[in-house]
Amino acid sequence: MFELFLYHIHFYLLNSILHSSTTEAEEINRLHFYFLWAASFVLLVVTVATIYVIYKYRHHENGQEYQPKTLSGKWEIAMIGVPLAMVVVFFFLMLKTMHHILPSADGKKPDVVITGHQYWWEAQYPGTRVTAANEIHLPVGRTILLKLLSADVIHDWWVPQFGNKMDLISGRQNYLWLNIKEPGIYTGACSEFCGAQHAGMRIRVVAQQESEYIKWLQEHQQVATISDTLAQSGAQIFQSETCGNCHNINGTASNGKAGPDLSHIASRQTLLTGILENNKENLTRWIQDPQKIKPGAHMPKFFLDKHSIDALVAYLSSLK
Amino acid sequence: MEIRLSDIEKNKATYKDYRILRWLTSVDHKEIGIMYLWVALLFFVVGGIEALLMRTQLVMANNHFLSPDVYNQIFTMHGTTMIFFVMMPALFGFQVYMMPLMIGANDMAFPRMNAFSFWITLFGGLLLYFSFFAGGAPNAGWFNYAPLNESAYSSTSGIDYYCIGLLLAGIGSVSTGVNIIVTVLKYRAPGMSLKMLPLFVWMSFVNAFLIIGALPSLNAALSMLLLDRQLHAHFFNVASGGSALLWQHMFWLFGHPEVYIIILPAFGIYSEVFQVFSRKRIYGYSFVAGSTVAIALLSFGVWVHHMFATGLGNTVNAFFGASSMLIGVPTGIKIFNWLGTMYGGSIRFTVSMLFAIAFLIEFTIGGLTGIAFSIIPIDWQVTDTYYVVAHMHYVMVGGSLFGVLSGLFYWFQKLSGKQLDEKLGKIFFWLFVIGFNMTFFVQHILGIMGMPRRVYTYPDLPYFTLLNLCSTAGAFLMGGSLLLLFYNIYKTARKKELDRSDPWDGFTLEWLSTALPGQKNFEALPEIKSRRPYWDLKYPDKADWKNDDKERK
Ligand SMILES: [Cu+2]
C-alpha cells in the first residue's frame, strides 16, 4: 500500500515534465520550481487572509450598532512593493535562463532539420543523404541544434521531458538547442492545433549514444535489399498503384515528398508518429483503409485486393 | 427609506402588458439589457452543451464518440461562442441596464444605436451558427491561426461565417463602447463628478476605451482573411507571399485586451458587491480606479506573450515578458483592496457575496498561472497544453463568469422586480464551485504531464484517463448545477408578487429607482454629494459627506 503511494508520488514528481532529460529542461524546471514556491506562498497568503477576514468580520445577528473599521492606507504601498519586488527577481531569473537555453543560432549549422507536415514529421540530417520520418534519431551527450520548418500550417515541437517547445511556421526558420542526457525513447506531441489529425501527430525520439547514432546514419544511407518474391511483386505494385507519387524509397523510382519517407520503414518500431506498433497486421490495416485509423490524414483509401495488400506489406516490412 | 407601494403596483401593471413587438422595437436601455442577458443565456446553453460533448469525448483514452472533424468544429464553436456571444453580451447586458441607473440617467446617450448594437450582435451570433447548416462550422480554433484558416486548409465555408459573424458582433461592440463613453461623460446626475462614479461604472467606462481600441484590430484581420478566402488576396497565405505571423499579431493585439474587456466589468461588479455586503465603502477607491487604468494601458503591450514559442527572439520576448509580469501588479492591488473592503466590515453571505469571495481565490489561482506564462522559459514548457486550458478557465469562469453570476443574484430584483431564491442559490453555488474546480484543477496536472490542448483523443498514458474522468465528472456537475440556476430563474419569474425594492439596503442610485423595464428611471434625483448618494439619502446623519474619513482619497 505504502509502496503504491510512493510510486504515485514518484510518478507525479519525476515522470512528468518536471523530470528533465536535457540540460535545457533542467534549467527550466529549476525556474519552474522557484516559481511554484513563490506562487504557492502567494496563494496561501491570499487564502488564509480571505478566510480570516470573512470569519472574523461575519455579520452577527442582533449585534450592536455597527461601526465599520478601516485598514490603514500604508498597507497599500506595501502591496505594490512586494509584488513589484517579486516581478523584478523573476524577470532577471527569466533573462538568465532564456539566454542559456536559447542562444542565437546565427550562422550555425543545424544537426537535424525537422519539417512538420500535416500529421507527420520529416527529419533530414545535413551532411548525410539521410531523410527519415516520424521516428527521429538524435545523439546524446552533446548540444545539438535543431532547425524547424513547416511544409504547410503551423506545428509545434514538444517533447515534455526535453523542456521547451518551438513552433514550426510556414515561411519561417526556427531553432532549438538540445543536450539530451540519457539514451532512450522519448515521446511528445505536436502542440499547435494543425487540423483534423492534430491529435494523431505525436512525436517519438530515439536518443542514442554517439557511436550507435553514427551507425544508424550509415545504415540509413544504404538501400534496403529485398529478396523474396512476394516482396518483389509488392515493389511493383507500389509503383503501379502510385504509392511512389507520395512516398520516397531510396534506390527505386519512388521519390514522392507528400508522405513519409519509407526507405527504411521496417527498421522502425512504430507507425504513424507512434500511434501504432509497426507490424504486418497494422501495416495491412493502414493500407486497407487509412481513413479508418487516422481520419483526415492525407492518404487516400486504395481499393486493393487482398493479394496486393499482402505483397505491399511484405515489401514494406522488408525495407530494413 | 419607505417602499413606495403605489409605485410597485403601477410597475406591475405595465409589466404585464408586454408584447413581443414591444421588445423587437424597444430602444429602452433596460429592455435592451434584458435582451442581452437572454441572448447570453441562450448561447451559454449552446456553448455549455458543446463543452459537455467535448468532455464526453475525452472521458477516456482512445474514445470514438466524436470524429475528429466534429470535435474540431465543436471546440472552435465553444470558445468563440463563450467569448463573443456569452461573456460579451452578458457584461454588456449589465452595463447598458445598470450604468444609466447608477449615474442617475434615464437612458443611454444613443438609445437607437444601443438597439442597433444589440441586434447586430445577435445577428452575428446567428450567422456564426448558421454555418452548421452551410457545410460545416469553423474548425480552426477560436483564435483561428493562419494559414490553417485559409481555404487551402479549411475548405468548408465555416471560417467565412466566422469572419462575418465576428465582424458584425465587433461592430456592435464598438458602437456600444462609444455609447458607454458618451453616456458617462454627458449624462451623469448633476453633482456627480467623474471621481464619484460607482466603481462598476468607472470600470465600464475604462473598458469602453479598451473596446474601441482593440476591436478594430480584430475587425481588420477578419476583413483581410475574408479577402484572402474569397478574393484570393495574400495577407496570410504563406505559399503566395503572405505572413502567417501577421495574423497572430493582429489577433492578439485585439485578443489580449479582449481578456481584460471580459474581466474589467466583472471587477466592477465585485467592487459593488463587496461594498454592499460588507456594509462598508471600498477600501482605497483611487487605487482600485487607478489600477484599472494601469491594466487597460498595459493590456495593449502584452500581446506577444501568446507567441513566445513562435521564435521571435529573446529581446522581443523579454520585453513582452516584462510587461506581462507587470500587469500582475495592478491586478494584485485589486485583490488586496477587495480584502481590505471586507476587513472591518459586517459580512453578509448572500449568494452574490459567496461568488465574489470564491472569485478571490479562484482568480488568484488563475492570475498566478498567468504569471507562469509571462516567465518565458516556463511558458515554453507549458503553453499550448491543458495547463493553458486550466489557466484560461480559472480566469474566464472563476473571474468573469462568477462575476456575472454574482451580478445576477445581486441585481435580479432590479432586472425583474423579483428576487432569486437564496436557498436554491446557495446549493447552486456550492455545486457549481466544486464542479468547476474538479473540472479545471486537474487540467493543470494534465498539462504538466504532457497533454496538448485541442486533441480529440489521447493515448492511454498512465493517469491520463483517471484525470480526464475527474474533469468530465466535474463538467457534468457544473452542468447539473446550472439546471438548478435555470429552475431558480423560472420559479422566480413566475412569482406573482413583486419583492421589495432595495433588498440589500444598497448604496448607489439604481436602488433608488423603482423603474422596471420600459419605464422612466428617475423623476427627481437627490443632491449627489458622495460616492454613495442613496446611502446618504437613507441615513442623513451617517452620510458620507458629513463624516468623511481618510478612506475617501
Ligand atoms: Cu501538427
Side-chain angles (χ1 to χ4, degrees):
Chain A
M1 190 61 205
F2 184 64
E3 250 165 53
L4 192 69
F5 176 73
L6 276 188
Y7 168 78
H8 288 235
I9 296 290
H10 171 87
F11 180 85
Y12 277 114
L13 290 183
L14 298 177
N15 287 21
S16 58
I17 61 168
L18 298 178
H19 178 70
S20 334
S21 300
T22 59
T23 49
E24 289 76 15
E26 234 165 43
E27 293 208 38
I28 295 182
N29 290 338
R30 192 177 315 126
L31 185 61
H32 204 161
F33 271 117
Y34 294 159
F35 171 76
L36 284 177
W37 281 116
S40 313
F41 172 73
V42 173
L43 182 60
L44 189 77
V45 170
V46 173
T47 312
V48 170
T50 307
I51 292 172
Y52 169 78
V53 167
I54 63 178
Y55 180 76
K56 177 103 192 277
Y57 296 105
R58 67 194 188 282
H59 169 65
H60 295 279
E61 293 296 339
N62 61 42
Q64 296 149 334
E65 168 80 0
Y66 162 69
Q67 270 310 329
K69 266 199 290 180
T70 313
L71 207 57
S72 144
K74 284 184 203 125
W75 278 93
E76 227 157 21
I77 310 295
M79 274 308 127
I80 302 179
V82 174
L84 213 55
M86 283 173 139
V87 163
V88 172
V89 170
F90 274 99
F91 179 69
F92 284 105
L93 287 174
M94 167 187 102
L95 276 189
K96 194 178 128 216
T97 314
M98 85 195 231
H99 280 104
H100 262 200
I101 55 186
L102 204 69
S104 152
D106 267 348
K108 307 238 170 48
K109 236 182 71 190
D111 294 82
V112 187
V113 180
I114 295 178
T115 308
H117 293 258
Q118 268 185 328
Y119 330 131
W120 60 279
W121 305 91
E122 176 188 334
Q124 277 172 315
Y125 294 80
T128 72
R129 276 176 289 113
V130 178
T131 300
N134 290 337
E135 268 179 8
I136 296 172
H137 287 243
L138 298 174
V140 303
R142 62 179 165 102
T143 303
I144 53 172
L145 180 61
L146 306 188
K147 180 175 177 178
L148 304 171
L149 306 172
S150 165
D152 37 52
V153 301
I154 302 179
H155 301 277
D156 184 280
W157 168 271
W158 188 43
V159 179
Q161 295 191 10
F162 287 178
N164 42 339
K165 294 191 180 59
M166 184 54 82
D167 284 354
L168 299 86
I169 302 175
S170 13
R172 281 180 72 90
Q173 305 179 347
N174 278 338
Y175 293 90
L176 193 69
W177 298 94
L178 283 181
N179 187 341
I180 308 171
K181 295 195 289 189
E182 301 282 334
I185 306 257
Y186 299 91
T187 55
C190 172
S191 299
E192 187 64 75
F193 180 67
C194 60
Q197 270 301 333
H198 168 57
M201 184 161 172
R202 304 200 52 85
I203 299 178
R204 197 174 166 88
V205 170
V206 183
Q208 292 172 304
Q209 294 292 3
E210 191 73 32
S211 55
E212 283 175 47
Y213 173 67
I214 292 184
K215 197 169 130 228
W216 177 83
L217 275 177
Q218 275 161 0
E219 278 168 13
H220 270 59
Q221 307 209 41
Q222 252 104 73
V223 172
T225 46
I226 33 171
S227 43
D228 83 279
T229 47
L230 187 60
Q232 265 156 2
S233 74
Q236 258 145 35
I237 299 173
F238 197 84
Q239 288 300 326
S240 59
E241 288 293 341
T242 70
C243 307
N245 288 356
C246 294
H247 293 287
N248 177 61
I249 294 181
N250 289 344
T252 71
S254 308
N255 58 2
K257 292 268 175 259
D261 187 298
L262 301 179
S263 303
H264 295 278
I265 184 164
S267 69
R268 287 197 243 148
Q269 291 167 328
T270 61
L271 294 172
L272 306 165
T273 72
I275 65 177
L276 286 182
E277 199 188 319
N278 186 3
N279 56 34
K280 289 198 172 168
E281 193 196 328
N282 283 337
L283 265 176
T284 313
R285 277 174 57 208
W286 171 251
I287 296 169
Q288 256 169 2
D289 192 353
Q291 296 304 319
K292 207 164 153 194
I293 291 175
K294 222 174 153 176
H298 296 303
M299 173 161 150
K301 177 174 177 169
F302 290 82
F303 295 85
L304 300 169
D305 56 50
K306 192 174 172 312
H307 170 78
S308 315
I309 291 180
D310 285 345
L312 279 170
V313 169
Y315 172 54
L316 292 175
S317 39
S318 62
L319 295 172
K320 278 263 166 6
Chain B
M1 181 86 185
E2 76 182 291
I3 315 150
R4 287 162 294 180
L5 270 175
S6 57
D7 278 358
I8 292 182
E9 282 307 314
K10 205 170 69 197
N11 292 343
K12 214 166 95 185
T14 26
Y15 200 55
K16 262 201 244 152
D17 302 335
Y18 276 38
R19 299 265 137 70
I20 291 176
L21 190 67
R22 180 74 193 277
W23 290 97
L24 290 180
T25 57
S26 173
V27 293
D28 173 57
H29 75 103
K30 298 192 284 319
E31 286 175 336
I32 292 171
I34 296 274
M35 288 192 289
Y36 263 123
L37 290 172
W38 275 116
V39 164
L41 185 66
L42 171 81
F43 281 111
F44 183 58
V45 171
V46 177
I49 291 173
E50 285 160 352
L52 291 181
L53 283 173
M54 283 191 280
R55 284 313 322 169
T56 310
Q57 162 67 14
L58 293 175
V59 66
M60 56 185 178
N62 300 319
N63 196 11
H64 289 296
F65 168 67
L66 297 178
S67 73
D69 187 36
V70 172
Y71 184 88
N72 294 343
Q73 294 177 36
I74 285 183
F75 85 70
T76 302
M77 290 299 274
H78 168 76
T80 315
T81 306
M82 289 302 195
I83 289 183
F84 293 98
F85 300 103
V86 177
M87 292 319 298
M88 297 278 280
L91 292 167
F92 279 151
F94 283 131
Q95 290 176 67
V96 301
Y97 195 115
M98 293 301 164
M99 215 191 57
L101 284 165
M102 292 171 96
I103 59 173
N106 278 318
D107 207 318
M108 297 289 283
F110 308 113
R112 273 177 296 179
M113 187 162 89
N114 198 17
F116 163 80
S117 307
F118 165 74
W119 288 106
I120 199 166
T121 305
L122 172 61
F123 192 52
L126 294 179
L127 257 184
L128 179 71
Y129 270 88
F130 185 73
S131 62
F132 273 115
F133 309 100
N139 56 1
W142 83 273
F143 47 72
N144 197 36
Y145 272 180
L148 189 62
N149 58 13
E150 294 282 356
S151 23
Y153 301 106
S154 181
S155 53
T156 64
S157 48
I159 290 180
D160 302 305
Y161 280 95
Y162 167 97
C163 292
I164 299 173
L166 293 194
L167 262 174
L168 293 183
I171 293 168
S173 304
V174 173
S175 53
T176 306
V178 172
N179 215 341
I180 289 174
I181 292 175
V182 178
T183 310
V184 171
L185 288 179
K186 303 291 289 183
Y187 290 84
R188 296 190 311 277
M192 183 185 273
S193 71
L194 275 180
K195 279 186 183 163
M196 285 184 196
L197 286 179
L199 280 167
F200 175 69
V201 178
W202 172 256
M203 298 206 189
S204 303
F205 179 61
V206 175
N207 194 40
F209 285 98
L210 270 186
I211 292 175
I212 58 176
L215 261 297
S217 179
L218 174 71
N219 292 349
L222 292 169
S223 315
M224 286 154 78
L225 178 58
L226 211 52
L227 287 177
D228 268 11
R229 289 178 61 92
Q230 296 295 332
L231 302 174
H232 305 285
H234 312 288
F235 292 110
F236 309 117
N237 209 339
V238 183
S240 55
S243 159
L245 280 190
L246 180 63
W247 170 270
Q248 295 192 22
H249 284 295
M250 295 187 77
F251 190 90
W252 291 119
L253 183 56
F254 145 78
H256 203 82
E258 169 73 7
V259 176
Y260 294 96
I261 291 172
I262 288 177
I263 197 74
L264 285 183
F267 281 177
I269 296 175
Y270 296 126
S271 300
E272 302 301 328
V273 166
F274 278 123
Q275 297 185 68
V276 168
F277 295 113
S278 306
R279 313 304 306 144
K280 253 186 86 195
R281 280 181 280 173
I282 192 92
Y283 167 68
Y285 179 98
S286 46
F287 273 77
V288 178
S291 59
T292 308
V293 179
I295 291 177
L297 291 176
L298 278 171
S299 76
F300 282 103
V302 296
W303 79 91
V304 169
H305 71 209
H306 296 268
M307 303 165 62
F308 282 154
T310 57
L312 290 177
N314 286 343
T315 318
V316 174
N317 283 352
F319 174 85
F320 284 93
S323 60
S324 310
M325 277 185 213
L326 270 184
I327 214 166
V329 177
T331 316
I333 292 175
K334 284 202 157 55
I335 303 263
F336 181 70
N337 279 300
W338 290 316
L339 273 171
T341 306
M342 290 195 291
Y343 177 90
S346 171
I347 299 169
R348 267 74 167 172
F349 295 103
T350 57
V351 179
S352 175
M353 186 64 165
L354 286 175
F355 270 111
I357 293 169
F359 147 81
L360 280 183
I361 313 275
E362 312 290 16
F363 190 76
T364 302
I365 298 178
L368 287 168
T369 52
I371 300 282
F373 290 111
S374 70
I375 303 174
I376 295 159
I378 303 180
D379 175 275
W380 284 337
Q381 182 67 286
V382 291
T383 187
D384 278 324
T385 68
Y386 258 81
Y387 196 91
V388 181
V389 181
H391 157 71
M392 174 173 91
H393 285 89
Y394 267 85
V395 179
M396 302 250 176
V397 179
S400 309
L401 185 62
F402 278 25
V404 169
L405 293 171
S406 177
L408 193 69
F409 278 87
Y410 178 53
W411 278 319
F412 205 82
Q413 195 284 334
K414 275 262 61 72
L415 299 172
S416 67
K418 301 162 192 173
Q419 224 177 315
L420 286 171
D421 184 330
E422 282 281 306
K423 230 187 224 133
L424 272 181
K426 280 183 188 160
I427 304 176
F428 158 67
F429 165 79
W430 284 109
L431 293 180
F432 191 75
V433 170
I434 294 170
F436 165 69
N437 283 290
M438 265 173 78
T439 312
F440 296 109
F441 196 81
V442 292
Q443 295 187 353
H444 292 111
I445 304 171
L446 276 170
I448 285 189
M449 282 165 55
M451 181 159 164
R453 66 192 290 200
R454 302 181 159 181
V455 289
Y456 78 98
T457 190
Y458 51 91
D460 196 7
L461 295 169
Y463 294 96
F464 270 43
T465 294
L466 184 71
L467 294 175
N468 274 296
L469 186 69
C470 173
S471 188
T472 301
F476 276 91
L477 185 56
M478 280 168 94
S481 71
L482 282 167
L483 293 181
L484 210 59
L485 173 68
F486 300 155
Y487 172 70
N488 200 344
I489 295 175
Y490 171 77
K491 198 182 107 176
T492 308
R494 293 205 25 164
K495 270 202 291 196
K496 295 257 156 47
E497 296 296 306
L498 290 188
D499 287 312
R500 103 198 166 88
S501 56
D502 192 20
W504 317 118
D505 193 6
F507 298 165
T508 34
L509 288 178
E510 81 269 33
W511 301 108
L512 169 68
S513 164
T514 50
L516 285 171
Q519 293 174 323
K520 191 175 176 194
N521 295 343
F522 298 98
E523 292 301 340
L525 283 167
E527 204 184 338
I528 314 277
K529 291 183 177 172
S530 83
R531 289 184 186 125
R532 297 195 295 177
Y534 191 33
W535 167 275
D536 294 351
L537 187 68
K538 285 187 285 192
Y539 305 101
D541 40 316
K542 285 198 251 170
D544 284 351
W545 52 272
K546 279 188 192 158
N547 44 14
D548 196 2
D549 57 28
K550 270 179 260 124
E551 219 181 321
R552 187 170 157 211
K553 282 187 224 114

